[in-house]
Amino acid sequence: MIVSMQDKGEALLSKCSKGFKSLVRRKQVDSVHVRREGHQLARKLTALDLTAIGVGTTIGAGVYVLVGTVAREHTGPALTVSFLIAGLAAALSAFCYAELASRCPSAGSAYHYTYICIGESVAWLIGWSLILEYTIGGAAIARGISPNIALFLGGEGNLPAFLVRHTIPQLGVVVDPCAAILVLIVMFLLCAGIKESSLVQTIVTTVNVCAMLFIIVAGGYLACKTGWVGYELHGGFFPFGLNGMLAGSAIVFFSYIGFDAVTGAAEETKRPLRDLPLGIGMTLTLCCILYMLVSVVIVGLVPYYALNPDTPISSAFSANGMQWAAYIVTAGAVTALCASLMGSLLPQPRLLMAMARDGLLPAFFSDISTRTHVPVKSTVTTGMLAAVLAFFMDVSELSGMVSVGTLLAFTVVAISILILRYAPPEEVPLPSSLQQFIDSVRKQLDDDSQSMERKEFNDVDIVEQSPSQSDHGEASIQYPLIEKQFSEGNQDKQNPQRRRNIAVWNIALFCIGVLVLTSAASAEYLPSLVRFSLGTVGAAILLCSLVVLACLNQDEARHSFGHTGGFLCPFVPFLPAACILINAYLLMSLGVGTWIRVSIWLIMGALVYISYGWRHSSLTNAVYVPMAYLDHIYRASSSHQV
């Protein structure tokens, strides 16, 4: 009876262990070894195309509104500094994205990187969060276009009747046909092909940038004529102090969200190792410069307290006798929204395709058109869903959920950089169909290893025959070089694994410290003493783990991880650590209501994963082999096929 209970307990423990391992299983980096039958996207994009996609997605109409609200309530004339600090904070994530994009240039962006470096369950949650971000983000952008089009035409009365918003009396729902039609137009454009859609994106983005250049040049000219009155105030450059300027940076940080759309098109880039980092860097640099120049002009043209919070740029020009400039500003806002809509709908089909390839979603989403070389089925599905949401729902109150997906992605990408540098995957999954080649190569390499060990043993056999072998000290004196070789060999085998274990534990402790510190900083409802105590504990854990990571040597296996020769993130571990800390603080500051809604979505995602993704994952029957065996196995399988 006791033996039977022990067997059941061991079986249950084995099942639990197997289930946990399946949650953290990691997939292989897509490389020359991975060949997909019928799943190839067309590589047609250059660095310029990627920059147009990134700039178009990043510069939305938010900048046309944010400059007024943030300047009036938080920064005053220091708005430019807030944009600079926010740009530097966004650059931390951009550096991390640039390395992973060049090492792992495949569709899926943050989902793909997380799957490779952290594990399947976390990758699923990131992918599920990004689905929410792209869907709600696209619908919200589309709902914002129709009012700007009406404003450009002189009012809603000038819109065609079938495009005007109207209310369904029985339901009390305001429907927006114009928003739905715009989403469908973008959907059909994306189905036409990546080069065609990127060309349109480039044209629309160029118009948007030209509108911003007009604001900068014309506004600067007016400000020079009026004497830059916005900077001649009694409150000085920082009327709200340093805290106000930093609070403004946290708000305008979200105007930089969108550069990660560049990595969504990684599999369609001609030269990903060069073009992806270049596209990310050019996107962020250009956006930061434009934001700063616009803010310099606007807060100098009109005193910050006189800015209109809804139409700050148009009202600033109108106050200086240039009412006609409102048409150019509105045209810039419309084109900015159209470019953002295209940038929001572009990555989602590729994300669904990547998740379907891995078996976490039905294979329906992984189909690629043989004519246009784009995932048409995924594009149509996401486009129709976004069009329905844009038609029936005012999703502006759900816009905070968009930020959660992006900030979660930024955070796990930075964590992935730490894992890549200090504890990269030692094993890779291979399909069970290669089992015979795996066994053959493993046996051959094990035999070679044993032969090498016997040879080394025979070479130093004189040590065993020496009469002084019983005394370790005497042996080391008589044969110092042999003794040193043995000791160094044992250390080389033990130290790397020990260093990896220390690194993994300290990465985990660092994340815990960040979570405790940011939770204490944002929990204003707690007593000050409790917040201070929790913050102190979190900061201590954070700093200690970061110091240990800084003292550890980075793993040598990082050099052969993925595609080598691309961009390398500098200042590791400090730069990724700062990225994690900033993004975690912004996540904690989003509010309880937002987190409740996001939690409901994540719980739904967990149920979908348990009921479908976990069971159909392509890694379910995979065989994990050491990285050193990989080339030998593929060589053996290739020679067998020949």
Side-chain angles (χ1 to χ4, degrees), residues 31-44:
S31 64
V32 292
H33 294 310
V34 181
R35 296 181 176 88
R36 299 190 181 93
E37 299 291 335
H39 291 294
Q40 291 294 332
L41 299 174
R43 293 191 176 274
K44 295 183 177 180

Side-chain angles (χ1 to χ4, degrees), residues 592-608:
V592 177
T594 298
W595 274 108
I596 291 175
R597 290 189 286 267
V598 170
S599 298
I600 294 172
W601 176 256
L602 293 179
I603 291 172
M604 292 170 56
L607 294 176
V608 173

